[in-house]
């Protein structure tokens, strides 16, 4: 017979269940923090990058303010890189720098593909 206020110890104690539940909640929080689901902000960041890249592509062909547009594309690529929004091992920052600074057509094609894969193919060529 238990007395009032006496704590029952054993496998099914409330304290053990609470610890287990807290551990599960922490684990779920960690896993959901690494989710592959993109947020609206992630999409806006990608759209911003692809828009800047497309502007640079248009301006470089006409030689009008291509440097300024190139710097804007590089700044947007840095933001993508900082926020970890490269997909499937792409190297957007490196490839953008190669395209803008070295006129590397292959690198330009890779970043244009990145934009197409992200759903913003209309911004780039």
């Amino acid at each position: 017979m238990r007395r009032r206020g006496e704590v029952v110890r054993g496998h099914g104690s409330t304290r053990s269940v609470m610890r287990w539940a807290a551990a599960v909640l922490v684990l779920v929080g960690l896993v959901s923090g690494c989710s592959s689901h993109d947020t609206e902000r992630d999409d806006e960041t990608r759209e911003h990058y692809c828009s800047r890249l497309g502007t640079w592509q248009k301006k470089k062909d006409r030689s009008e303010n291509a440097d300024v547009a190139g710097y804007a594309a590089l700044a947007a690529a840095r933001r993508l890189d900082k926020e970890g929004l490269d997909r499937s091992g792409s190297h957007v920052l490196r490839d953008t720098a190669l395209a803008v600074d070295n006129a590397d057509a292959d690198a330009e094609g890779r970043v244009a593909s990145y934009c197409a894969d992200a759903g913003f193919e209309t911004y780039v060529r």
Side-chain angles (χ1 to χ4, degrees):
M1 177 180 250
R2 282 192 322 201
R3 294 186 187 163
R4 186 175 184 194
E6 185 177 346
V7 176
V8 177
R9 307 260 183 226
H11 294 291
S13 75
T14 304
R15 186 173 280 171
S16 294
V17 170
M18 293 301 287
R19 284 183 187 156
W20 181 82
V24 168
L25 287 174
V26 168
L27 181 61
V28 167
L30 290 173
V31 170
S32 67
C34 298
S35 174
S36 64
H37 299 292
D38 291 336
T39 65
E40 187 175 322
R41 182 172 174 236
D42 294 344
D43 287 340
E44 288 172 358
T45 301
R46 286 187 185 99
E47 182 179 17
H48 176 78
Y49 167 73
C50 294
S51 173
R52 297 300 175 259
L53 180 68
T55 299
W56 169 75
Q57 286 178 319
K58 291 173 191 156
K59 300 233 180 214
K60 76 176 178 85
D61 290 340
R62 297 185 213 139
S63 298
E64 56 183 59
N65 298 325
D67 289 343
V68 174
Y71 292 134
L74 281 169
R78 279 187 203 97
R79 182 174 167 200
L80 275 177
D81 186 61
K82 180 181 175 187
E83 295 184 16
L85 296 177
D86 281 1
R87 288 189 170 168
S88 65
S90 62
H91 302 281
V92 173
L93 180 56
R94 183 193 67 199
D95 285 337
T96 303
L98 288 171
V100 170
D101 293 336
N102 300 334
D104 185 327
D106 292 334
E108 184 179 344
R110 288 189 296 271
V111 289
S113 291
Y114 172 85
C115 288
D117 292 345
F120 301 109
E121 63 277 351
T122 59
Y123 289 99
V124 296
R125 307 185 262 132

